[in-house]
Amino acid sequence: MTIKDIAAKCGVSVSTVSRVLNNQPYVKQDVRDKVMKVIEEEHFVPHEGAVSLAKTQEDSFGVIIRGINNPFFSEMVTVILQRGHEMGYSTYLHQIRSCDDEIGEAASLAKSRKLKGVILLGGNFDRTEEEIRQIDVPIVCCTFTNKFGVVPKEIFSSVSIDDEAAAYKAVSYLISEGHKKIAVVLPSVDDKSISELRYMGYCKAMKEAGLAVTDDLIIATGDYSMEEAYAGVKAALERKAKFTAIFGISDLIALASMKALSDAGYKIPGKCSVIGIDGIDMTSYFIPTLTTLVQPRDVIAQRAVEILIGAIEEPGEGTHEIVEAQLRIGESVKKI
Amino acid sequence: MTIKDIAAKCGVSVSTVSRVLNNQPYVKQDVRDKVMKVIEEEHFVPHEGAVSLAKTQEDSFGVIIRGINNPFFSEMVTVILQRGHEMGYSTYLHQIRSCDDEIGEAASLAKSRKLKGVILLGGNFDRTEEEIRQIDVPIVCCTFTNKFGVVPKEIFSSVSIDDEAAAYKAVSYLISEGHKKIAVVLPSVDDKSISELRYMGYCKAMKEAGLAVTDDLIIATGDYSMEEAYAGVKAALERKAKFTAIFGISDLIALASMKALSDAGYKIPGKCSVIGIDGIDMTSYFIPTLTTLVQPRDVIAQRAVEILIGAIEEPGEGTHEIVEAQLRIGESVKKI
């Protein structure tokens, strides 16, 4: 009788038995009791090294990252690795390019690497049920909230901010500081993704305040890069677009917008205010410090791991959690 | 007869045979000839799917990263993944904390993940031969240059800038712009690592110009974090240290130094100039744009992969390459 036989007899994974033997956390009491009962019934004594053997054959989950150069994701990865390690899992990091199909990659990796589950950072929203079902292990998305609703909520889990609400909060803050002409810098107004959701929040705040969203206030740049955001704001200033504040829908976009303003001779926030969303660490070192809506990165990363491991060890319906983004006041917004 | 048998008969890896069958590059002509000869002798016809099978069982190498939050490393990773993919290898990314033992981790990962080789980004310099020999696959270091010479050059490879020369170049540039009181912000003057090497370059440039390196010009902060660099410069300004320029031994340190100067009311470069080393993308978006010595990141990353795969496929003595860092003039240095 080996630790594998015990696992098979209990209908749980080897790592669960290992966790029980090692008296580690994250095994539900009823599962723990069942395992201990079988161990006692079978008079099972782990042979020398069985415990550590089970440990070296530890379960892995994957993290698929679209754009490791996004500091928000790399900051999340640090916390995910730590939490995974604490919970007895090793982690397989996989970066994909923005043109890659993250669902296909995740599905093939899960098979080839025998991953027990997958966390997706970044990625598209226009997915079908059939596509998601290619991945035959539990999935947790940290940016995909299925807001446009084509995928059944049961077949994946998510933990993220409410992008529309965070954008609404950012723009409402600018309005409360007296701004009326507020430009938005974003990849696209209709990408069925984060950009569209944050644009919806912008529109909602403007509309509620009775402010017009005119075409010259919308600076759509095609992608999430700093290069394009910089070029977009530069072009808007050259065509004399009139605004007193910019809402960049990500911190990187907001930072690039600040640089374009500065290079055109605009003082920030003297002549133009700027606000972002994400709360990446680097924003605190910019001159001026960026005012931004901070995603509770550590909470998202930790919960993503906990939800994933929960789903691996006790499969069930999807879990969906929303966490709140908090305003961090820097130096880039001025009352007018 | 399978592709494995061909590989065994030739004394090469399955992936080498696969590359020959797929007519892919990076197989030396004599190896290619040998494989083709055996294939012909054995009248070997890959069975349907054998080629793609060989591809799914592709070889992997590992990348051990100390501090994924360092944008310089995450920018390198993008290029490493791309080049590895082009050369038919999959890549296993593993991040470690600054307190972890990267050699031990690399050794155990190489075994558990059956890695064919390992690239190390970041890490300590005070290694012994015994420690390095724990890793029984080829190693390429991108930051470790063995400058202090305790490890035989044959048992590892490296590709990196000459840290001392880059620092010398940065400080010489400040001197050529008229600066005499030049502070250096760094983790340590004697860590037997990058910090000490770059400090040596600073001292050399100062000495050659007949400038004194007095204690109040050395701002040693204990680690590579932006927090400590900020605190170090802030404290130096509070104790009225006199300097007209700061050499931050990394871009992150230089950026944090700029913020500390700005928060203390110093205009950059009006009242104080700042220069860094690394050339991370973000420096172009800071206000002012950081002047820095750019590591040819893409070249280092590509050569690291090429050297590693070369060493995997044809084991030999270590290869050591030095690439040159280039001055990129931004807006943070002023002639005085």
Side-chain angles (χ1 to χ4, degrees):
Chain A
M1 173 119 320
T2 70
I3 190 168
K4 273 193 181 168
D5 301 323
I6 298 290
K9 212 169 160 68
C10 301
V12 300
S13 69
V14 169
S15 70
T16 298
V17 178
S18 167
R19 264 195 287 281
V20 173
L21 287 171
N22 287 290
N23 204 21
Q24 287 176 340
Y26 311 115
V27 182
K28 283 213 176 173
Q29 196 55 51
D30 55 345
V31 175
R32 194 182 290 273
D33 292 344
K34 186 166 68 182
V35 171
M36 285 313 293
K37 189 158 168 281
V38 171
I39 286 174
E40 279 163 28
E41 279 170 13
E42 302 287 340
H43 306 292
F44 174 68
V45 180
H47 74 76
E48 194 183 48
V51 171
S52 63
L53 181 71
K55 278 186 152 182
T56 64
Q57 293 172 334
E58 69 186 351
D59 292 332
S60 301
F61 63 83
V63 183
I64 315 287
I65 311 156
R66 186 186 291 275
I68 205 169
N69 283 341
N70 183 336
F72 182 71
F73 290 158
S74 53
E75 289 167 18
M76 290 254 290
V77 165
T78 306
V79 182
I80 288 173
L81 292 173
Q82 178 66 33
R83 192 79 189 107
H85 181 73
E86 286 166 7
M87 293 180 73
Y89 278 71
S90 71
T91 309
Y92 184 83
L93 290 186
H94 185 68
Q95 190 202 7
I96 58 171
R97 294 163 300 178
S98 54
C99 52
D100 289 335
D101 163 26
E102 78 274 16
I103 302 295
E105 295 260 350
S108 93
L109 267 182
K111 282 197 183 60
S112 67
R113 299 280 162 187
K114 298 187 180 37
L115 304 176
K116 299 284 180 184
V118 175
I119 293 175
L120 298 177
L121 298 182
N124 296 320
F125 278 45
D126 52 349
R127 289 299 177 178
T128 63
E129 178 168 355
E130 288 65 39
E131 287 176 312
I132 300 284
R133 283 196 190 276
Q134 287 177 54
I135 307 175
D136 55 5
V137 294
I139 313 166
V140 178
C141 303
C142 297
T143 52
F144 172 82
T145 51
N146 200 31
K147 194 94 175 191
F148 299 104
V150 288
V151 178
K153 286 246 167 196
E154 306 85 61
I155 65 167
F156 74 107
S157 293
S158 68
V159 50
S160 71
I161 60 164
D162 178 331
D163 290 289
E164 183 179 351
Y168 175 83
K169 216 166 171 177
V171 178
S172 296
Y173 175 66
L174 292 174
I175 294 170
S176 75
E177 294 293 293
H179 295 276
K180 291 184 167 59
K181 287 275 191 191
I182 301 169
V184 60
V185 185
L186 78 183
S188 164
V189 297
D190 56 4
D191 66 349
K192 298 282 171 229
S193 182
I194 284 177
S195 180
E196 179 169 348
L197 289 174
R198 295 185 182 177
Y199 177 66
M200 286 161 57
Y202 162 81
C203 291
K204 188 175 171 217
M206 294 292 277
K207 195 177 169 194
E208 277 190 16
L211 302 173
V213 176
T214 52
D215 280 354
D216 61 325
L217 293 179
I218 300 168
I219 304 173
T221 64
D223 68 30
Y224 284 87
S225 72
M226 296 184 84
E227 291 83 344
E228 292 303 321
Y230 180 90
V233 172
K234 183 168 184 272
L237 295 173
E238 281 166 1
R239 67 172 178 265
K240 313 273 180 216
K242 291 273 175 285
F243 45 79
T244 64
I246 285 179
F247 164 48
I249 66 126
S250 76
D251 279 354
L252 293 183
I253 288 173
L255 295 172
S257 301
M258 290 213 293
K259 184 67 173 173
L261 288 165
S262 173
D263 284 354
Y266 285 62
K267 290 261 181 255
I268 307 152
K271 195 161 171 194
C272 186
S273 294
V274 178
I275 195 167
I277 295 184
D278 284 340
I280 59 175
D281 291 341
M282 195 76 91
T283 58
S284 299
Y285 292 95
F286 270 73
I287 303 168
T289 300
L290 184 67
T291 294
T292 186
L293 268 286
V294 180
Q295 297 205 42
R297 182 183 69 208
D298 294 6
V299 174
I300 296 175
Q302 283 176 17
R303 287 300 299 147
V305 173
E306 290 161 5
I307 291 171
L308 185 71
I309 294 179
I312 291 168
E313 304 198 342
E314 298 194 44
E317 306 228 310
T319 301
H320 297 275
E321 294 184 7
I322 294 290
V323 293
E324 203 174 344
Q326 300 287 349
L327 178 67
R328 182 164 71 203
I329 293 180
E331 305 160 342
S332 65
V333 174
K334 186 188 150 193
K335 202 175 191 75
I336 61 169
Chain B
M1 174 117 322
T2 69
I3 191 167
K4 273 193 179 168
D5 302 323
I6 298 290
K9 215 169 157 69
C10 300
V12 301
S13 68
V14 169
S15 71
T16 299
V17 178
S18 167
R19 264 194 288 280
V20 174
L21 287 171
N22 287 290
N23 203 21
Q24 287 176 338
Y26 311 112
V27 183
K28 283 212 174 172
Q29 196 56 50
D30 55 344
V31 176
R32 194 181 291 272
D33 292 344
K34 185 167 67 180
V35 171
M36 285 313 294
K37 188 156 169 283
V38 171
I39 285 174
E40 279 161 29
E41 279 171 11
E42 301 287 342
H43 307 291
F44 174 69
V45 180
H47 74 76
E48 194 183 48
V51 171
S52 62
L53 181 73
K55 277 186 155 183
T56 63
Q57 293 171 333
E58 68 188 350
D59 292 333
S60 302
F61 63 82
V63 183
I64 315 285
I65 311 155
R66 188 187 291 274
I68 205 170
N69 283 341
N70 184 337
F72 182 71
F73 290 159
S74 52
E75 289 166 19
M76 290 253 291
V77 165
T78 306
V79 183
I80 289 174
L81 291 174
Q82 177 66 32
R83 193 79 189 105
H85 180 75
E86 286 166 8
M87 293 180 74
Y89 279 71
S90 72
T91 310
Y92 183 84
L93 290 186
H94 185 67
Q95 190 203 6
I96 58 170
R97 294 161 300 176
S98 53
C99 53
D100 289 336
D101 163 26
E102 78 275 17
I103 302 296
E105 295 260 351
S108 92
L109 267 181
K111 282 195 182 64
S112 67
R113 300 279 163 185
K114 299 185 177 42
L115 304 175
K116 299 285 182 185
V118 174
I119 293 175
L120 298 177
L121 299 182
N124 296 319
F125 277 47
D126 51 348
R127 290 298 175 180
T128 63
E129 177 168 356
E130 289 66 39
E131 287 175 312
I132 300 284
R133 283 196 191 276
Q134 287 177 56
I135 306 176
D136 56 5
V137 294
I139 313 166
V140 179
C141 303
C142 297
T143 51
F144 173 83
T145 52
N146 201 30
K147 194 94 177 193
F148 300 102
V150 288
V151 178
K153 286 247 168 196
E154 306 85 63
I155 63 167
F156 74 106
S157 293
S158 67
V159 50
S160 71
I161 60 166
D162 178 331
D163 290 289
E164 184 178 350
Y168 175 82
K169 215 166 172 178
V171 178
S172 297
Y173 174 67
L174 291 174
I175 294 169
S176 74
E177 295 293 292
H179 294 276
K180 290 183 167 59
K181 287 275 191 189
I182 301 169
V184 59
V185 185
L186 78 182
S188 164
V189 297
D190 55 4
D191 66 350
K192 298 284 172 227
S193 182
I194 285 177
S195 180
E196 179 168 348
L197 289 173
R198 295 185 182 176
Y199 176 67
M200 285 161 57
Y202 162 83
C203 290
K204 188 175 172 216
M206 294 291 278
K207 194 176 170 194
E208 278 190 17
L211 302 173
V213 176
T214 51
D215 281 353
D216 61 325
L217 293 178
I218 301 167
I219 303 173
T221 65
D223 67 30
Y224 283 87
S225 73
M226 297 184 85
E227 290 84 344
E228 291 303 321
Y230 180 91
V233 173
K234 183 169 184 270
L237 295 173
E238 282 166 0
R239 67 171 178 266
K240 312 274 180 215
K242 292 272 175 286
F243 46 79
T244 65
I246 285 179
F247 164 48
I249 66 126
S250 76
D251 279 353
L252 293 184
I253 288 173
L255 295 173
S257 301
M258 289 213 293
K259 184 68 174 172
L261 288 165
S262 173
D263 284 354
Y266 283 63
K267 289 261 180 255
I268 309 153
K271 194 159 172 196
C272 187
S273 293
V274 179
I275 195 166
I277 295 182
D278 284 338
I280 60 175
D281 292 340
M282 194 77 88
T283 58
S284 299
Y285 292 95
F286 269 72
I287 305 167
T289 300
L290 184 68
T291 294
T292 186
L293 268 287
V294 180
Q295 297 206 42
R297 181 185 69 208
D298 294 6
V299 175
I300 296 175
Q302 283 176 16
R303 287 300 298 146
V305 173
E306 291 161 6
I307 291 170
L308 185 72
I309 293 178
I312 290 169
E313 304 198 341
E314 298 194 45
E317 307 228 309
T319 301
H320 297 274
E321 295 185 5
I322 293 291
V323 293
E324 203 173 344
Q326 300 288 347
L327 178 67
R328 182 163 72 203
I329 293 180
E331 306 159 341
S332 64
V333 174
K334 186 188 151 194
K335 203 176 191 75
I336 60 169

